[in-house]
Every structure is written in C-alpha cells, then in structure tokens.
Amino acid sequence: MAIACLPWYSLPEVEPAQDAVWSAIARHLRHAGVAAPERLIRNVPIPGVFCDPDLMLAQCCGYDVVYGFAGSLMVLATPVYAAPGCEGPTYRSFVLVRDDSPFQEIGDLRGGVCAVNSFNSHSGANALRALVAPLARDGRFFRAVKVTGAHVRSLELLMSGRADVMAMDCVLHALLARHRPAALHGTRVIAATEAAPAPPLVTSAVAGRDRAARVREAVLAAMDDPEAVSAKAELLIDRLEVLPIARYARIVEIEGEAVRRGFFELHATSPAIVEG
C-alpha cells in the first residue's frame, strides 16, 4: 500500500496545511489513475520509510539524496521557500546563540559547546562544519558536540545553557518565528551558512520512473490548485522547481571544502554526546 509523509517542518501548527496540500496532490494523482493514500502518515521512523518501496511522497534532507538514501530515493521537485535565507530553490542555515552570550562572530565560538540535530543533517551539521572549518586548529574547533535528534531540541539546549551554539534550517526558523515566536525569544543570529538546494520532495526510486513521473506531475499541478493556495502559503512554499540531481552535489562540495581543511567531523577530537 502506498504511503506519503511530510516529516520536514512538520510542526503541529502547520500539519493542517500539510494535509490540505496532500489532499490536492492525492486528488490529482487519482485523476491520473494512480491510487493515492487518503492521508499523510506521521511519527514514522525515517530510515525505514525512506527505504520503503511503497513510498509515494516524502521530503528529506539533501544529504539523504547524495549519501545514505541515494539508491532508495528519487528527487521529484524542490520547493522555493518564501523565507529569509532562501534564494530560489536554495536555503541556508542560521547560526544561533543566546542574546546574553558574549559571542559576536563565528571565531568567538572556539572551544564552545555545539548542539546538532544529527551528523547526517546538512543544515544542522554539514553546513556549520564548512563555516567553521577555516577557523579549526588541528581538526578541532568546538570543545564538545551534543547530538539532540531535532532542531527544536537543539534550541532547547541552547536556551537552557547546555549548549553555546546551534545551526538551524532557515525555513524552520521562519516557521518558528511565525508560530512560536517565544521559542526564538532570547536568541540571535550571528552568521549564515552557504546556500544549498533546499530539502527536496522525493519518491521511492524502486517504484520506477513511470510512477515517479506521474507523482511529479501531480505534485506540480497541486501547487497551482486553487484549493491549495492558502495552505501552500502557510507552509512558506512559493512554488516548486525541478532540479537535476547534479545540483545536490553542492552539498558534497560543501562537505569537501571542510575535509580539505582537515576538519573531518564537527566533534573531531572532542566527544560527541547524545542528549536524551
């Protein structure tokens, strides 16, 4: 049975908008003769769903389509977000510190504690590593790195003083600013990372190119569906663009820039601490 999920940016506040967009996509799929799930599934284990041949639609990190799930996922389209930090189908991360911290620029963070959602996250780890790599000494910059599992969890560590810095996807930052301004109160942006292609909409590569083409057509048509216009705006999506997969190689290039400087991991010679 086909499944669909939109785990990226799935705050409870925007789930109704996600449901409305999916409803439009599913309607276009059925008009094209493709059986579509009635509703999105949520709270599913990401590794499993990204490898599921029944996956009809999902959104993932660009890191996933060039590394861990490159053989399992096919890119359909890339959202163009109406959010600060986004330019066309690209996005970046904002580097956040607390308002009351003494840090004014990236170099001030040397020896600090960094919170990351995952080392497999471009926005939370890969982009930040490239930003601080020129300042690393002997492959080290931060004193410790704490792995939290989610950007919002990293934000909690930052605000509680258990971390000094984090990098947050600028689209999520904009959604939090709209729906949970209190969550960002007491933080400030001290830098932004390089731009890279935004998290793409994907389907199972195993299902074949014919089904992928039909799903892509339905997704693109739904973006112009009058019934999805307000929901699309709620998700900060201006439109979609179909990018060649080669564009996502920029993420590999950003990683390579750090590696060439000898900065192989954010935690390098310091411990990576998993926060519960």
Side-chain angles (χ1 to χ4, degrees):
M1 180 180 296
I3 58 174
C5 62
L6 293 172
W8 258 237
Y9 315 126
S10 189
L11 300 174
E13 295 90 338
V14 302
E15 287 180 357
Q18 289 185 326
D19 290 337
V21 168
W22 170 250
S23 179
I25 294 171
R27 186 168 62 255
H28 284 279
L29 281 166
R30 294 184 191 113
H31 287 167
V34 180
E38 288 293 330
R39 58 185 60 85
L40 296 170
I41 59 172
R42 292 192 166 94
N43 302 316
V44 292
I46 293 301
V49 78
F50 284 174
C51 293
D52 195 324
D54 290 327
L55 179 65
M56 179 168 282
L57 182 70
Q59 188 174 17
C60 70
C61 179
Y63 212 77
D64 294 325
V65 296
V66 295
Y67 284 117
F69 301 96
S72 303
L73 298 173
M74 183 182 299
V75 173
L76 298 173
T78 301
V80 174
Y81 286 103
C86 295
E87 300 167 6
T90 70
Y91 79 137
R92 62 188 77 233
S93 297
F94 291 149
V95 181
L96 302 179
V97 298
R98 292 185 304 279
D99 270 343
D100 62 0
S101 75
F103 311 119
Q104 298 299 320
E105 55 187 40
I106 290 296
D108 298 336
L109 293 164
R110 184 188 309 279
V113 176
C114 176
V116 301
N117 55 329
S118 166
F119 289 123
N120 294 326
S121 167
H122 174 72
S123 60
N126 188 46
L128 178 61
R129 173 177 53 173
L131 187 66
V132 303
L135 304 172
R137 295 173 181 168
D138 299 322
R140 182 174 183 176
F141 184 77
F142 295 114
R143 181 174 79 254
V145 177
K146 297 184 177 181
V147 183
T148 66
H151 281 309
V152 291
R153 178 63 177 152
S154 296
L155 185 60
E156 291 172 3
L157 259 65
L158 178 67
M159 293 307 298
S160 69
R162 287 177 287 166
D164 300 309
V165 62
M166 67 167 292
M168 178 183 288
D169 174 332
C170 68
V171 178
L172 178 59
H173 190 271
L175 288 170
L176 289 176
R178 173 180 290 187
H179 296 286
R180 300 182 191 176
L184 295 174
H185 182 70
T187 69
R188 55 188 167 87
V189 176
I190 65 167
T193 64
E194 288 191 42
L201 296 174
V202 296
T203 191
S204 170
V206 178
R209 293 190 174 277
D210 179 64
R211 194 191 76 165
R214 293 188 181 193
V215 176
R216 176 183 285 122
E217 289 173 4
V219 169
L220 294 174
M223 292 298 107
D224 295 324
D225 193 313
E227 295 186 22
V229 170
S230 62
K232 184 176 69 169
E234 183 70 16
L235 299 174
L236 303 180
I237 298 174
D238 180 62
R239 64 186 189 279
L240 299 179
E241 290 192 12
V242 178
L243 302 181
I245 187 64
R247 287 283 295 277
Y248 280 89
R250 179 60 191 140
I251 289 173
V252 179
E253 292 170 359
I254 290 172
E255 179 178 63
E257 290 163 8
V259 170
R260 282 193 294 275
R261 294 177 181 273
F263 198 25
F264 298 97
E265 299 289 350
L266 268 178
H267 56 287
T269 55
S270 59
I273 304 165
V274 178
E275 285 284 324

Short mmCIF file of all heavy atoms in Angstrom, two decimals, residues 95-98 103 106 109 112-116 128 142 154 158 163-167 190:
data_model
loop_
_atom_site.label_atom_id
_atom_site.label_comp_id
_atom_site.label_asym_id
_atom_site.label_seq_id
_atom_site.Cartn_x
_atom_site.Cartn_y
_atom_site.Cartn_z
N VAL A 95 23.08 30.52 12.19
CA VAL A 95 23.84 30.12 13.37
C VAL A 95 23.31 30.94 14.54
O VAL A 95 23.39 32.18 14.52
CB VAL A 95 25.34 30.33 13.16
CG1 VAL A 95 26.12 29.89 14.40
CG2 VAL A 95 25.82 29.56 11.93
N LEU A 96 22.79 30.25 15.54
CA LEU A 96 22.12 30.91 16.66
C LEU A 96 22.93 30.82 17.95
O LEU A 96 23.52 29.78 18.25
CB LEU A 96 20.75 30.28 16.91
CG LEU A 96 19.74 30.25 15.77
CD1 LEU A 96 18.46 29.55 16.23
CD2 LEU A 96 19.43 31.64 15.29
N VAL A 97 22.91 31.90 18.69
CA VAL A 97 23.44 31.93 20.06
C VAL A 97 22.39 32.62 20.93
O VAL A 97 21.43 33.18 20.43
CB VAL A 97 24.79 32.68 20.14
CG1 VAL A 97 25.86 31.99 19.31
CG2 VAL A 97 24.62 34.14 19.72
N ARG A 98 22.61 32.59 22.23
CA ARG A 98 21.69 33.30 23.13
C ARG A 98 21.97 34.80 23.10
O ARG A 98 23.11 35.23 22.89
CB ARG A 98 21.82 32.78 24.56
CG ARG A 98 21.34 31.36 24.76
CD ARG A 98 21.40 30.95 26.24
NE ARG A 98 22.73 31.12 26.79
CZ ARG A 98 23.72 30.25 26.62
NH1 ARG A 98 23.53 29.15 25.88
NH2 ARG A 98 24.90 30.47 27.15
N PHE A 103 29.27 36.02 22.53
CA PHE A 103 29.73 35.73 21.17
C PHE A 103 29.16 36.72 20.16
O PHE A 103 27.96 36.96 20.11
CB PHE A 103 29.35 34.30 20.78
CG PHE A 103 29.70 33.27 21.81
CD1 PHE A 103 28.72 32.50 22.41
CD2 PHE A 103 31.02 33.09 22.19
CE1 PHE A 103 29.04 31.56 23.38
CE2 PHE A 103 31.36 32.14 23.15
CZ PHE A 103 30.37 31.39 23.75
N ILE A 106 31.70 34.16 14.47
CA ILE A 106 31.98 32.72 14.49
C ILE A 106 33.25 32.39 15.26
O ILE A 106 33.29 31.43 16.04
CB ILE A 106 32.06 32.17 13.06
CG1 ILE A 106 30.67 32.18 12.42
CG2 ILE A 106 32.62 30.76 13.04
CD1 ILE A 106 29.67 31.27 13.09
N LEU A 109 33.32 31.46 18.98
CA LEU A 109 32.73 30.20 19.45
C LEU A 109 33.75 29.09 19.66
O LEU A 109 33.40 28.00 20.11
CB LEU A 109 31.68 29.72 18.45
CG LEU A 109 30.43 30.61 18.33
CD1 LEU A 109 29.66 30.28 17.07
CD2 LEU A 109 29.56 30.44 19.56
N GLY A 112 33.62 26.30 22.40
CA GLY A 112 32.27 26.24 22.94
C GLY A 112 31.63 24.88 22.74
O GLY A 112 32.23 23.95 22.19
N VAL A 113 30.40 24.77 23.21
CA VAL A 113 29.62 23.53 23.07
C VAL A 113 28.56 23.75 22.00
O VAL A 113 27.80 24.72 22.06
CB VAL A 113 28.96 23.14 24.41
CG1 VAL A 113 28.08 21.90 24.22
CG2 VAL A 113 30.01 22.89 25.47
N CYS A 114 28.53 22.85 21.04
CA CYS A 114 27.62 22.95 19.91
C CYS A 114 26.53 21.88 20.01
O CYS A 114 26.81 20.74 20.38
CB CYS A 114 28.40 22.78 18.61
SG CYS A 114 27.39 22.76 17.12
N ALA A 115 25.30 22.26 19.69
CA ALA A 115 24.20 21.29 19.63
C ALA A 115 23.85 21.06 18.16
O ALA A 115 23.71 22.01 17.39
CB ALA A 115 22.98 21.81 20.38
N VAL A 116 23.74 19.79 17.77
CA VAL A 116 23.35 19.45 16.40
C VAL A 116 22.20 18.46 16.44
O VAL A 116 22.12 17.63 17.35
CB VAL A 116 24.51 18.86 15.57
CG1 VAL A 116 25.67 19.82 15.49
CG2 VAL A 116 24.96 17.52 16.12
N LEU A 128 27.38 23.83 8.94
CA LEU A 128 28.09 24.50 10.04
C LEU A 128 29.56 24.11 10.04
O LEU A 128 30.44 24.94 10.27
CB LEU A 128 27.44 24.14 11.36
CG LEU A 128 28.09 24.73 12.62
CD1 LEU A 128 28.07 26.26 12.57
CD2 LEU A 128 27.40 24.22 13.88
N PHE A 142 35.13 23.04 18.21
CA PHE A 142 34.28 23.03 19.41
C PHE A 142 34.88 22.15 20.50
O PHE A 142 35.56 21.17 20.21
CB PHE A 142 32.88 22.53 19.07
CG PHE A 142 32.12 23.43 18.13
CD1 PHE A 142 31.79 23.01 16.85
CD2 PHE A 142 31.76 24.72 18.52
CE1 PHE A 142 31.10 23.83 15.99
CE2 PHE A 142 31.07 25.55 17.66
CZ PHE A 142 30.74 25.12 16.40
N SER A 154 17.66 20.97 19.85
CA SER A 154 18.91 21.73 19.93
C SER A 154 18.64 23.13 20.47
O SER A 154 19.42 23.68 21.26
CB SER A 154 19.56 21.82 18.55
OG SER A 154 19.94 20.56 18.07
N LEU A 158 20.24 25.07 23.71
CA LEU A 158 20.83 26.40 23.61
C LEU A 158 20.23 27.32 24.66
O LEU A 158 20.95 28.02 25.38
CB LEU A 158 20.59 26.96 22.21
CG LEU A 158 21.11 28.38 21.95
CD1 LEU A 158 22.63 28.41 21.98
CD2 LEU A 158 20.59 28.88 20.59
N ALA A 163 24.21 24.32 25.75
CA ALA A 163 24.95 24.47 24.50
C ALA A 163 25.15 25.96 24.26
O ALA A 163 24.36 26.79 24.73
CB ALA A 163 24.21 23.84 23.34
N ASP A 164 26.20 26.29 23.53
CA ASP A 164 26.51 27.69 23.23
C ASP A 164 26.05 28.12 21.85
O ASP A 164 25.87 29.31 21.60
CB ASP A 164 28.03 27.90 23.33
CG ASP A 164 28.58 27.59 24.69
OD1 ASP A 164 28.03 28.11 25.69
OD2 ASP A 164 29.56 26.81 24.77
N VAL A 165 25.85 27.14 20.96
CA VAL A 165 25.56 27.49 19.57
C VAL A 165 24.85 26.33 18.88
O VAL A 165 24.99 25.17 19.28
CB VAL A 165 26.87 27.83 18.82
CG1 VAL A 165 27.81 26.62 18.78
CG2 VAL A 165 26.59 28.34 17.41
N MET A 166 24.08 26.65 17.87
CA MET A 166 23.48 25.64 17.01
C MET A 166 23.27 26.26 15.64
O MET A 166 23.26 27.48 15.49
CB MET A 166 22.12 25.18 17.56
CG MET A 166 21.05 26.26 17.52
SD MET A 166 19.37 25.65 17.81
CE MET A 166 19.09 24.67 16.34
N ALA A 167 23.09 25.42 14.62
CA ALA A 167 22.72 25.88 13.29
C ALA A 167 21.33 25.35 12.99
O ALA A 167 21.08 24.16 13.13
CB ALA A 167 23.72 25.38 12.25
N ILE A 190 24.10 35.03 14.45
CA ILE A 190 25.41 35.68 14.30
C ILE A 190 26.07 35.36 12.96
O ILE A 190 27.07 35.99 12.61
CB ILE A 190 26.37 35.32 15.46
CG1 ILE A 190 26.71 33.83 15.46
CG2 ILE A 190 25.81 35.76 16.79
CD1 ILE A 190 27.89 33.51 16.39
#
